[in-house]
Amino acid sequence: MLEQFFILSDRGDTIITKAFRGELNRKEYEVFFRKVKFWKGDAPPVFHSDGVNYYFTKKYGMFFVLTSKELCSPSFVFDALYRTMKVFRDYLGVLDEEGIRKNFILIYEIVDEMYDFGYPQIMSTEVVKEFVINEAVVVSKPPSSAKPSIWNKNTVSSSAVTRPVSSTLSTKKKTKRQEIFVDIFDKITVLFNSNGFVINSSIDGVIQMKSYLTGNPELRLALNDNLIIGGSGEMGKSAITDCSFYECVDPTNFENTKTLTITPPDGEFLVMNYRITGEFQTPFRVYTFIDEVNPFQLQMVLKVRATFPGDHYAKNTEIKFPVPKSTSSVSFEASPTQEASYNKSEQNAKWVVKTFQGAREYSLTAKISLGKAAESSTRKEIGPISMNFDIHMFNVSGVTVKYLKIAGSTSKSGPHRWVRYVTQSSSYVART
Amino acid sequence: MSINFQNSKRGELNELRMELLSVKIPKKKEALKKIIASMTLGKDVSPLFTDVLKCMDTPNIELKKLVYLYIINYAKSQPDLAILAVNTFRKDARERSNPLMRGLAVRTMGCIGVESIIDYICEPLKDALNDEDPYVRKTAAISIIKVYDISAERCEELEFVDSLVDLLSDGNAMVVSNAVASLMEITNRRGKFFEMDGGSLHKLLTALSECTEWGRIYILDFLATHLPEDTREIESAIQRVVPHLSHSNAAVVLSASKVLIRYMDYIEDEDKIKSICRKLAPPLVSLMSSNPEIQYIAIKNVNLIIQKRPDIFRKGDEIKVFYCNFNDPLYVKLEKLEIMIRLVDLKTVDQFLREVKEYAQELDVPFVRKAVSAIGRCAIKLDKAADRCVQALIELVRTKVEYLVQESVIVIKDVLRRYPNRYESIIKDFCDNLKALNFADERAAMIWIVGEYADKISNCVLLIESFAENFKEEATIVQHAILTAAVKIFLKLEDEAEDMIADILKLATEEAENPDLRNRGYVYWRMLVNNPDMAREFVLEEKPIISTQSENIDPTLLDSLIAYLGTLFSISLKAPSKTVISKEGAKERFDLEEHEEVEVQEEVEDSSGVKRTEYEGDTNVQTFDDLIGLGDDPEPEVDNSNQEKNTSDAIDDILGLGTSATDSTPSQTQDNSGLDVLGDISSPHDSQYCRVPEKTLVSEDDESKDGNSGLEVKGSFQRENNKLVLELKIRNTTQIDSIGNFAIKFDKNSFGLNPAEQMGDFSVDPQETRKEVVEINVNENNNNKAPGMPISIMCALRTSIGVFVFQIPVMLSVLIVRQSSMINVKEMRELWKVIEGDEEMYYTVSNLSINLTTPQLIKERLLDNNIFFMEEGRTDGGSPCLYFNAKVSNNLVVLIQITFKDGDCTLCVKCKASPLIKLTQQCVSFILSQN
């Protein structure tokens, strides 16, 4: 089982060290840091040195490390590590070095409850809370820096998102806001062949909640009725190929009524993952036309058409494609609100459309000047074209929330419920 | 400066001490927080230990927790002080009002890892096991393993292990899962002792659906290793495990699939198996959408599962799921390609080829290479699609992109071998692209092709000559390839190639520095001069057809890997039992394998799942005098020992068989070699080294030369950490006098054994026993002299009550050394034949241990005792037998054959020195009879 847990700053200072078994040997985190620092390239998340296996992740400018000497399942260790970080974040609101340093006694106390002799014990915030006495010292920080980019500022409605969970629950002020956030993310993977046909497409979706409700009332989340689980659905209906649920969820009635009963833990938690393979309406279609103007110049016309409804838009759409090795310069023609640039060191071109309105088509003409005459293979060096985008309040999977009932509250005056849909590109690639 | 610093430090500690003595609790807390903060930074605050202890007796739980935190940290380094805290712990453990306090006390006590704590902990721990609060019980369950860790014997004596089994029927799922975790760890250390019956199975399954995900993992892993005996129970277990496949924790999914796959073996109903497989596939595929680290682990495991149950992904559509995404990390892409090759069939081959051809145009060279080799492997796998695959390869070669050509040559060689006389027309395309061949692997492959198809390539002589231009600088495999190809060409074209063969033979025999190459050159030369017809027969012999089957893992290995699904083993593809090395032994093993260090480094990286270093050329060529490698298996079994594998890799056998598909796939080579290191680290298997039972050497009544008695000595020779030692237990049986002034001396003996050092200065008080370990030197120069039978060493022990003389019997097993060099199977085979048979060599093992039920177990047992397995074979009578060899400390080699016939196990020992035969028989049957 697990041997040690430690948090190091990126300069190698120890912030937290905890030995579950055996004696804490100062050398081990030194060994770890030296190994990571002097690794050729990036150190792998699991490595072995002198009888010790190190599992680490680097987040928020710190190394979070678990070590083991025995046979462990790596997936198990990483899940435990991520879960530990989540509990810290729930307690501290924002996970950063200052917060951990200020609260190190609390962190030790939490770690003591979470692991016993290296065995993960209680890994959820609300249970740990029962056994932990210390209170978090909140470090004030501008919330904007703490959130990952997918949390668009415009849609974050409350400071609640970064506030520590425990203070909400332990202080008995009456002014606290009762609210719950539901996010439905569709992460889509699409691969087009050079003729614009879809070769492979899938959606990895996740329903995620963040709860600030007192007393953790039971929730009932109903999804749209026309959802089909398992098997391939007919057009017009959303068919989920496979889904998995988290512990707080009771999916007994899901197949029949599409309703999930949730016992919400505090703070952020995942409700379910779903996977959809098979046909669905791809939000963008990509067309490319490459012409050889003369042996030293290629002209590429890239057309991207948004097929989602016109009342939605994609933010910060980024379209990238590699250009031939022999490229000497690239000039672009695009509408003035868009930016296109050529990066010589990475040999690729990037086109950014700040706001991509639905049901519109944009095009980019790239004139690629070559340093030497084009060969037959030069054209093939252009592409594939990859896209990155977020579309808010729209999801391609068609998974929607029908209602969210909170036990013990009438629907009118009940807590605020925020539901958000986001479609994100995971890998959106068109071959040329 | 330094004095100032000292002062300030002392001042700081004093200040903290004063604060600790304060009556105000908040002030004490502040001080403790400061102390713990400095502790975290690595400062030594242990001088405050007693002061901190004084704060422990407080009703304030926050303060108490801080004190506990401090104690745990220093308990190991200051056990004597920690014991002082014991009374408070015991008091806290009896604290009735607060279960949190009771749990804390038991937990913290367990962390004081000194043996003396057991006396204090056992009572509170027993109470805690029956506590009314589940928090205390679950803490107690884990504490048992802590006690076991401190002293396994005491833990069993106190029957804590039995109470763990009782805890399995606890009403609280968390308690059950912790008990299971403890049981599992104890099982790993002392072997399986818990039998799963219907009742406990039911309890575990009930707990399974109630406990946390971590608990589920413990229980599922436990279920996977403890199979119920009744088929109906297995079926009901399967029903209850299936829902856990839809858990979002990847480790739960993998553990659940492990249970299902293991249990499926015991189900006979085909339909049921099919339905389970159907349920298994989607969750495994869903793991592909987790983060890359988890994906990598998942794919590696899926690869194993597919081999075990090929039907799981038979729908044909699943292959798409494993298509590589543009933004996948390289290590995920490479593994996805492996799966694609496994899944591709005639229905999907077209879309597979389209997809892989796209990959071949990407920029990531290792990935592109793997894609190209995937096309070739697909051609070998699917006879009917071979045309399409070869067409695709030719297209790639015609792009003239260097690395495409290079990789294509390597795979096309295998394709040509698989389908002789079918694709000769494509050779021309390759001959046009010789310039691109920069690295050893592809050069060797191309040379093989030239040699093989000499009659179809008009300028083959010129080609070989141009390849041989820089003969001396070429890598060894290329040199071998040139030599073999030259011989083939000569045998086919004769006169035309006469000059060429002369040059090449000259190069190989006179200029080459590699003795293996020189040897081979001479053999060819002589063969060509003396008997060209025989040479033709050997060299141009028809080659066995290769197949992709060779990529599959050996079924027994596969089964043992399936048992470790989801762990590091499943990623390293190394059988756990192959790497039976205790933690202490691991270091030594590293030394032995020093020559592989470079590779090991790469491997660890690789398995961890981030980087996959492309394997360029054979970095670890271990050549081998395999002149007429007739019997050499061209497809080495994956589970052969590491060294053997490397060997057969490097043998570019003289018959021109070429290397098989397996050998030329870089990933396969990588996976096998080096990774046992990972296994070493984490091997759960205890070494089965058989200790020699101790003998009474001097009994109470024996008299010394001076006529005194009163000394009892028991002991035996043992091998510890690969060193020979003499373990003695000296007991003083007198009533009054203490005995001291010990010294030991050996008489001359055939193994040249002598104490390396004298015993330390000590004396044994009346009625006391003292254990002494004396290191023994072995004089290795004492070569090849056989000892008398039985071996015993005459020994003199000087004491304060006179000199005792006695004989110490030696079991040969302690004199068998770990061999660091490679075992040369060929040489052994020769040796086996040379020694004449004799009635005396046969010996029947009468009391074979009941634990050694399979040949595999026997191999492992003997390996642990430094007796190495060589090969399997059949006796003249046709019974299966195993061959082993061992080396005695004076460099004599012993060969052992173990035959199984009609339930009897017969040993046949051959050795040049006949006295050793008896000794070996005695020693092997001793090893095999130990339980």
Side-chain angles (χ1 to χ4, degrees), chain B residues 786-853:
Chain B
M789 163 76 195
I791 336 171
S792 53
I793 308 281
M794 196 65 132
C795 172
L797 183 69
R798 188 193 69 193
T799 68
S800 54
I801 54 167
V803 180
F804 290 84
V805 177
F806 48 89
Q807 293 213 336
I808 314 174
V810 185
M811 181 67 84
L812 191 68
S813 64
V814 301
L815 292 167
I816 295 177
V817 292
R818 193 174 290 177
Q819 282 147 300
S820 53
S821 61
M822 199 170 49
I823 308 160
N824 189 331
V825 181
K826 291 276 136 40
E827 207 175 285
M828 295 299 164
R829 236 182 254 158
E830 287 310 313
L831 193 62
W832 181 266
K833 281 178 201 145
V834 168
I835 303 175
E836 290 290 323
D838 186 330
E839 198 54 39
E840 264 207 4
M841 294 168 179
Y842 289 91
Y843 179 83
T844 308
V845 182
S846 50
N847 48 352
L848 186 67
S849 161
I850 45 160
N851 292 341
L852 298 174
T853 44

Side-chain angles (χ1 to χ4, degrees), chain B residues 396-598:
Chain B
L396 293 178
V397 171
R398 287 187 182 149
T399 60
K400 299 197 188 284
V401 178
E402 247 179 42
Y403 47 83
L404 288 181
V405 178
Q406 292 165 357
E407 196 64 31
S408 304
V409 170
I410 296 173
V411 292
I412 209 77
K413 184 198 81 180
D414 290 331
V415 175
L416 289 172
R417 251 201 85 182
R418 171 73 175 80
Y419 307 108
N421 306 319
R422 196 152 128 189
Y423 296 114
E424 279 66 30
S425 55
I426 63 171
I427 293 171
K428 192 182 160 295
D429 280 301
F430 287 96
C431 290
D432 295 343
N433 288 296
L434 293 181
K435 280 209 187 82
L437 307 179
N438 295 329
F439 298 107
D441 280 345
E442 57 257 18
R443 285 175 82 84
M446 189 63 213
I447 294 164
W448 183 88
I449 295 174
V450 172
E452 197 61 19
Y453 294 94
D455 31 1
K456 308 235 166 51
I457 303 170
S458 49
N459 56 347
C460 62
V461 177
L462 281 174
L463 283 178
I464 288 294
E465 274 171 353
S466 72
F467 273 118
E469 250 165 40
N470 289 316
F471 190 81
K472 271 167 80 178
E473 279 81 45
E474 295 285 1
T476 322
I477 62 166
V478 181
Q479 294 177 331
H480 280 287
I482 293 175
L483 179 61
T484 314
V487 175
K488 285 187 205 163
I489 293 173
F490 174 71
L491 288 168
K492 283 180 181 168
L493 305 179
E494 305 208 337
D495 296 351
E496 272 178 64
E498 210 161 18
D499 293 345
M500 184 262 310
I501 188 76
D503 287 346
I504 301 246
L505 284 174
K506 200 160 179 260
L507 278 174
T509 51
E510 285 172 21
E511 309 243 335
E513 279 161 17
N514 186 323
D516 179 31
L517 186 68
R518 281 204 305 272
N519 262 341
R520 193 178 291 203
Y522 281 123
V523 168
Y524 276 138
W525 200 329
R526 277 177 210 143
M527 211 151 55
L528 292 176
V529 171
N530 295 334
N531 195 343
D533 288 334
M534 190 181 85
R536 189 166 284 121
E537 208 175 293
F538 273 126
V539 177
L540 301 181
E541 198 210 32
E542 204 162 296
K543 285 158 273 299
I545 298 257
I546 55 168
S547 76
T548 41
Q549 284 304 308
S550 55
E551 286 160 21
N552 285 350
I553 297 173
D554 173 77
T556 35
L557 175 68
L558 183 62
D559 276 339
S560 59
L561 286 177
I562 289 277
Y564 285 94
L565 213 61
T567 65
L568 286 172
F569 288 142
S570 65
I571 292 169
S572 63
L573 298 185
K574 201 74 187 159
S577 54
K578 277 287 156 192
T579 51
V580 186
I581 303 268
S582 59
K583 281 176 201 160
E584 290 77 24
K587 202 180 165 314
E588 255 172 82
R589 177 72 171 265
F590 274 109
D591 296 342
L592 289 179
E593 292 179 352
E594 219 162 30
H595 59 284
E596 288 176 2
E597 218 161 68
V598 187

Side-chain angles (χ1 to χ4, degrees), chain B residues 173-191:
Chain B
M174 183 98 185
V175 178
V176 179
S177 62
N178 273 358
V180 168
S182 283
L183 270 181
M184 191 73 180
E185 188 158 341
I186 293 174
T187 308
N188 283 344
R189 293 189 194 188
R190 80 166 202 198

Side-chain angles (χ1 to χ4, degrees), chain B residues 622 624 641 643-644 647 819-828 863 867-870 884-886 895:
Chain B
Q622 289 232 353
F624 191 84
S641 88
Q643 289 166 332
E644 274 173 355
T647 320
Q819 282 147 300
S820 53
S821 61
M822 199 170 49
I823 308 160
N824 189 331
V825 181
K826 291 276 136 40
E827 207 175 285
M828 295 299 164
L863 181 68
I867 299 176
F868 289 80
F869 173 67
M870 296 192 301
F884 295 87
N885 78 336
L895 299 171

Side-chain angles (χ1 to χ4, degrees), chain B residues 69-113:
Chain B
L69 195 61
Y70 177 89
I71 292 175
I72 291 176
N73 207 36
Y74 282 112
K76 274 267 164 82
S77 54
Q78 314 232 346
D80 305 338
L81 288 174
I83 290 292
L84 292 179
V86 144
N87 281 326
T88 325
F89 278 130
R90 286 168 66 117
K91 203 175 127 214
D92 287 351
R94 281 196 301 270
E95 161 71 50
R96 294 275 32 118
S97 58
N98 191 345
L100 183 60
M101 187 82 96
R102 296 201 293 276
L104 258 179
V106 171
R107 186 172 74 198
T108 314
M109 266 174 112
C111 292
I112 305 176

